[in-house]
Amino acid sequence: MARIQKKGTSGNAKNYITRSQAVRKLQISLGDFRRLCIFKGIYPREPRSKKRVSKSSTPSTTFYYSKDIQYLLHEPLLAKFRDQKALAKKISKALGRNEVSDASRLERNLTPKLSLDHIIKERYPTFVDALRDLDDALSMLFLFSNLPSTSEVPAKIIGKCQRLTLEFEHYLIRTHSLRKSFLSIKGIYYQATIQGQDILWLVPYKFVQRTGADVDFRIMATFVDFYTTLLGFINFRLYTSIGLVYPPRFDAKSEEQGAELGAFQLEGQNANGQMEIEGTANAQSNEKAQAEADRLLALPEEQQPEQAAEDAAGTGGDDSGEMNDQTSGALDQFTSVDETADTLPQPSATADASAAGRLFEPFTFFLSRETPRHSLEFIVKAFGCKRVAWASVLGEPGSYCSEDDLRITHQIVDRPDLPLPSPPLTDGDDEEEEGVVNRKPNERVPGRIYVQPQWVWDSINAGKLQRPDLYGPGATLPPHLSPWVKQKRGDYDPTAPLAEQETAAEVEMEDEEEDVVVDGADEGSEGEEVDGVRGDEEAREMEEELEEEDGGMDVRLAHSDDEESDGQDITAAADEWGGFSGDEGAADADADESAARQAQAELEAEALGQAPAPASKTKRSKEAARSKAEREAQEDVERRKMMMPRRKRKMYEKMVYSNARKDEETGKLRAKRRKIEKGATAAKE
């Protein structure tokens, strides 16, 4: 006789285990169990049938794989958790006996230190696996680096997050790995490409963050502990792969003065020799650029363009080999021969690191105090700029020059339009220092390009410099679109003209509204004279003059014959009409009714001495003209739906409903834009 199997020992009941059973099996508290699951990457599972999996009459809510819990039995962190629990008991006993010094000594000497290095190696066997899981880590660490210091979030954790994130940004600047960025309501999105892996993370704006009481910072702190260890491993691998020493040298004094990125000093692998070479090279290039700028300023105005063209031609011949080497590594562009074929996704213009590193290379930027300094400094440096300056109130360490320096080519401002400099009152009285411009506050510097911060983001997303006149101070900025959203057919595109996106029904409706506006403007009330139209009083005066000239003979106006003939035609048509049958009859009836209404309106206008309104189709007549074709198309669709199975028919109806919702939303956006454009046109007129 076969042995009777006990319930819950096979099948799904054996594959799953509840959370309470897992806690009892591991002999740890619920908080330690959560921390251990976060560190090891073990998450709850949802079985297909909770009733079959549950071993009790009431089904549980949280289940785990039994193999995962069995795997946790051999985790070295369990011993650390038990040591922490034993230490907590010793400290509580010492405090109960009022032995505060013994309690502090136990906490200082016997607190176990948790090491997550072995977990990082287990979860990420290869470096590419770690890069793929870096999105959430960067978003979490950037969030904690902007939080204020509280009892729940100590300053030590915030400082560690800031140091790791700044080190990661230095690597992106050095290798020009940043590709795209987007300003959103949540914060600033960044995308970088490292070893072929696209990494996307979110950085909050630097506002005063208020921590809510409904947020469990203990769970978030567990994630932060794991992510800081992970990012430390990744930074070490990235720095050593390009020949840099990790960790970089950190200047705490400069950090206190607000240097941020400037507080770190990168070093090469072979001691300090390579670092000194890099510093001297930058100094020499800056001196060369300054000498060239001084020479061009010293030339007369007529010779400057010619000399610049000659210099460009001369340098072009010398660097031809270098340019050939740079263009040889450019990515290929795939053009489609057939217009109806599918379009291949093209690589962006900044997909190549060398191309990204040359976007802002020849410029010198100055960041005004109202602009987001850290994000702008990070972006322009990641795209090749090595000379970035800012106001002294934001911190002097790391700034390239002052605001009045003549070497500045672009100034990023976020304020109303700045006035042009006023001409000097006297000639030659005020001598300007070399390389410094004397000007009033909030006044432009001649020869400098002023743009708003959005110009930087739109330029890097487009892969080329945008027109600076569209982003000037006080200008209405173009729409800032996400670089990761691709426009589909039928979607609303803010960059395209409205006439290219409007449907036929919207165009006809707009024409009708314009006709109504024109008719309302041309119509006049009784006794009111409109330009080009004879009013009632003018018609009476002309009739009296004709009567006097013809000896009192009654003069019959020309329109009276037309009025009688039109009335007779309408009466005859009404007597002969005997009704219609079918859709064509209904359409013809609507057309005749609209024609009769139009004729009656003309008669009334002529009787009042007004010009008849121009003949135009009303909304009902236009709908009647289109109704037949639309009705035939709808009947064809219904016939096709009848031949479809019920499942596919339901799916098709859902698709039609969702498409209709999308069309409605895009129609609202187009209507809103149409209203804004009309308001702007009316304001200009």
Side-chain angles (χ1 to χ4, degrees):
M1 183 177 178
R3 180 180 298 179
I4 300 176
Q5 290 186 354
K6 188 178 180 181
K7 183 181 178 181
T9 57
S10 62
N12 287 333
K14 185 179 180 181
N15 296 333
Y16 292 91
I17 185 174
T18 62
R19 186 178 63 180
S20 57
Q21 292 173 350
V23 170
R24 287 196 300 266
K25 191 171 186 177
L26 296 175
Q27 297 181 2
I28 55 177
S29 62
L30 182 59
D32 291 340
F33 176 73
R34 287 174 177 166
R35 294 182 63 194
L36 187 60
C37 290
I38 292 173
F39 290 151
K40 299 290 289 186
I42 296 174
Y43 301 100
R45 306 294 177 175
E46 187 71 18
R48 291 186 177 181
S49 176
K50 290 186 177 181
K51 187 175 182 181
R52 294 182 179 180
V53 172
S54 180
K55 300 177 182 178
S56 59
S57 58
T58 57
S60 303
T61 56
T62 307
F63 293 92
Y64 293 86
Y65 282 145
S66 300
K67 291 184 178 180
D68 291 342
I69 304 302
Q70 192 72 20
Y71 176 65
L72 292 178
L73 288 173
H74 307 284
E75 175 57 40
L77 289 179
L78 284 176
K80 298 291 184 179
F81 291 158
R82 296 188 181 108
D83 293 342
Q84 287 180 350
K85 188 175 181 180
L87 178 63
K89 290 183 179 180
K90 293 180 181 180
I91 293 175
S92 62
K93 288 181 180 179
L95 292 176
R97 294 192 296 266
N98 202 15
E99 297 175 354
V100 181
S101 60
D102 292 344
S104 61
R105 176 179 55 83
L106 291 173
E107 185 180 4
R108 184 174 58 254
N109 298 332
L110 299 181
T111 301
K113 296 181 180 180
L114 300 179
S115 177
L116 306 179
D117 298 349
H118 65 284
I119 296 180
I120 299 295
K121 296 177 182 179
E122 289 177 2
R123 292 185 61 176
Y124 308 107
T126 62
F127 184 62
V128 175
D129 295 334
L131 292 177
R132 291 172 181 170
D133 202 19
L134 193 57
D135 299 354
D136 296 336
L138 289 175
S139 300
M140 180 69 74
L141 295 183
F142 273 103
L143 172 63
F144 267 73
S145 63
N146 291 324
L147 289 179
S149 176
T150 59
S151 58
E152 298 172 338
V153 185
K156 185 177 180 180
I157 294 180
I158 297 174
K160 189 175 183 180
C161 294
Q162 291 176 351
R163 181 179 61 82
L164 289 172
T165 52
L166 290 175
E167 290 172 357
F168 182 74
E169 288 181 349
H170 266 292
Y171 171 80
L172 298 179
I173 292 173
R174 184 63 178 268
T175 58
H176 307 297
S177 300
L178 189 65
R179 293 293 173 263
K180 297 176 182 179
S181 182
F182 175 65
L183 299 168
S184 69
I185 298 177
K186 297 180 181 179
I188 305 176
Y189 285 92
Y190 296 97
Q191 184 185 18
T193 302
I194 301 176
Q195 296 188 8
Q197 300 297 323
D198 292 334
I199 302 171
L200 180 67
W201 69 96
L202 175 65
V203 178
Y205 295 110
K206 292 203 170 185
F207 297 144
V208 178
Q209 305 289 342
R210 297 182 179 179
T211 57
D214 56 342
V215 180
D216 191 353
F217 281 95
R218 293 176 299 175
I219 297 178
M220 297 183 68
T222 305
F223 279 100
V224 169
D225 291 340
F226 176 75
Y227 287 149
T228 51
T229 308
L230 173 62
L231 189 56
F233 270 83
I234 292 176
N235 286 346
F236 173 78
R237 178 67 179 272
L238 294 176
Y239 272 65
T240 54
S241 64
I242 60 175
L244 295 178
V245 175
Y246 185 82
R249 185 178 297 178
F250 178 72
D251 189 359
K253 186 176 180 181
S254 299
E255 174 63 21
E256 292 176 358
Q257 296 176 357
E260 294 184 353
L261 286 172
F264 292 86
Q265 199 170 17
L266 305 183
E267 297 179 317
Q269 289 284 3
N270 0 344
N272 298 331
Q274 188 173 352
M275 183 187 64
E276 293 176 358
I277 293 174
E278 291 174 358
T280 54
N282 292 335
Q284 291 176 0
S285 63
N286 295 339
E287 292 176 0
K288 183 179 179 181
Q290 178 61 27
E292 184 68 18
D294 295 340
R295 185 179 65 82
L296 292 176
L297 289 174
L299 291 175
E301 295 182 357
E302 299 178 355
Q303 299 181 5
Q304 285 183 5
E306 300 177 359
Q307 188 69 21
E310 293 177 1
D311 294 343
T315 55
D318 297 338
D319 300 341
S320 59
E322 182 181 354
M323 291 298 294
N324 291 335
D325 295 341
Q326 292 177 353
T327 55
S328 61
L331 298 176
D332 296 334
Q333 298 289 335
F334 303 97
T335 58
S336 178
V337 179
D338 188 3
E339 297 180 356
T340 60
D342 296 337
T343 57
L344 296 174
Q346 303 294 335
S348 61
T350 57
D352 187 13
S354 60
R358 294 192 301 268
L359 187 61
F360 297 139
E361 185 178 6
F363 305 139
T364 301
F365 286 90
F366 183 85
L367 312 178
S368 299
R369 65 178 183 271
E370 70 274 4
T371 58
R373 174 203 145 188
H374 178 76
S375 56
L376 286 172
E377 180 189 4
F378 167 57
I379 290 176
V380 297
K381 284 186 176 181
F383 282 85
C385 181
K386 297 181 180 179
R387 299 172 296 277
V388 184
W390 51 81
S392 58
V393 295
L394 302 178
E396 294 184 0
S399 180
Y400 180 72
C401 57
S402 62
E403 185 177 1
D404 298 330
D405 201 302
L406 292 175
R407 292 172 291 182
I408 298 174
T409 59
H410 292 71
Q411 183 167 349
I412 302 176
V413 297
D414 194 6
R415 60 183 71 176
D417 192 9
L418 301 177
L420 295 174
S422 56
L425 298 178
T426 57
D427 297 336
D429 294 344
D430 299 334
E431 296 183 358
E432 296 182 357
E433 299 181 2
E434 185 178 358
V436 178
V437 180
N438 295 327
R439 63 183 182 86
K440 298 178 181 179
N442 296 330
E443 193 177 64
R444 294 197 183 193
V445 177
R448 185 179 299 179
I449 299 175
Y450 288 81
V451 292
Q452 298 189 42
Q454 185 180 330
W455 178 80
V456 177
W457 272 272
D458 290 350
S459 297
I460 66 173
N461 292 335
K464 60 181 180 180
L465 299 177
Q466 301 296 305
R467 289 174 50 187
D469 58 321
L470 301 178
Y471 300 84
T476 302
L477 297 175
H480 181 59
L481 305 179
S482 173
W484 301 286
V485 176
K486 303 300 180 183
Q487 293 292 339
K488 298 179 181 179
R489 184 176 299 177
D491 291 348
Y492 172 70
D493 187 5
T495 59
L498 187 60
E500 298 179 0
Q501 306 180 61
E502 289 182 329
T503 60
E506 292 177 350
V507 173
E508 292 180 1
M509 188 179 298
E510 186 177 359
D511 294 340
E512 290 174 7
E513 293 177 358
E514 292 179 356
D515 294 341
V516 170
V517 173
V518 172
D519 295 343
D522 292 342
E523 289 179 358
S525 60
E526 269 189 53
E528 180 183 0
E529 296 185 4
V530 185
D531 295 340
V533 179
R534 294 179 178 178
D536 297 338
E537 295 182 0
E538 188 177 355
R540 294 193 190 98
E541 291 177 0
M542 291 181 64
E543 188 174 355
E544 292 175 359
E545 291 177 1
L546 291 173
E547 288 179 355
E548 292 175 358
E549 293 177 358
D550 296 340
M553 182 178 62
D554 294 337
V555 178
R556 191 175 184 181
L557 296 179
H559 69 270
S560 60
D561 295 336
D562 298 337
E563 182 178 352
E564 291 180 1
S565 61
D566 292 341
Q568 293 174 1
D569 295 340
I570 294 171
T571 307
D575 295 338
E576 294 176 0
W577 183 79
F580 296 96
S581 60
D583 298 333
E584 296 180 359
D588 296 338
D590 292 339
D592 293 341
E593 183 181 355
S594 62
R597 192 181 299 108
Q598 180 67 24
Q600 183 67 23
E602 292 178 359
L603 292 175
E604 293 177 358
E606 291 178 359
L608 295 174
Q610 300 174 0
S616 61
K617 293 184 179 181
T618 60
K619 182 178 180 181
R620 185 177 300 177
S621 63
K622 291 182 179 180
E623 290 180 355
R626 296 195 310 264
S627 60
K628 186 175 181 180
E630 293 179 355
R631 200 179 305 109
E632 291 178 355
Q634 185 66 23
E635 290 176 357
D636 187 25
V637 171
E638 293 295 334
R639 285 194 299 268
R640 291 172 180 266
K641 286 172 60 177
M642 291 173 61
M643 303 300 295
M644 297 172 62
R646 181 179 180 183
R647 182 179 179 183
K648 293 185 178 181
R649 185 170 62 252
K650 294 293 184 183
M651 186 181 300
Y652 174 77
E653 291 175 354
K654 290 181 180 179
M655 292 171 57
V656 171
Y657 176 76
S658 61
N659 292 336
R661 290 288 301 273
K662 291 180 181 179
D663 294 341
E664 184 180 356
E665 294 296 331
T666 53
K668 290 180 180 179
L669 293 175
R670 287 193 294 267
K672 185 177 180 181
R673 180 177 175 181
R674 191 183 303 109
K675 184 178 180 181
I676 293 173
E677 290 182 355
K678 286 184 179 179
T681 306
K684 289 181 180 179
E685 294 176 354

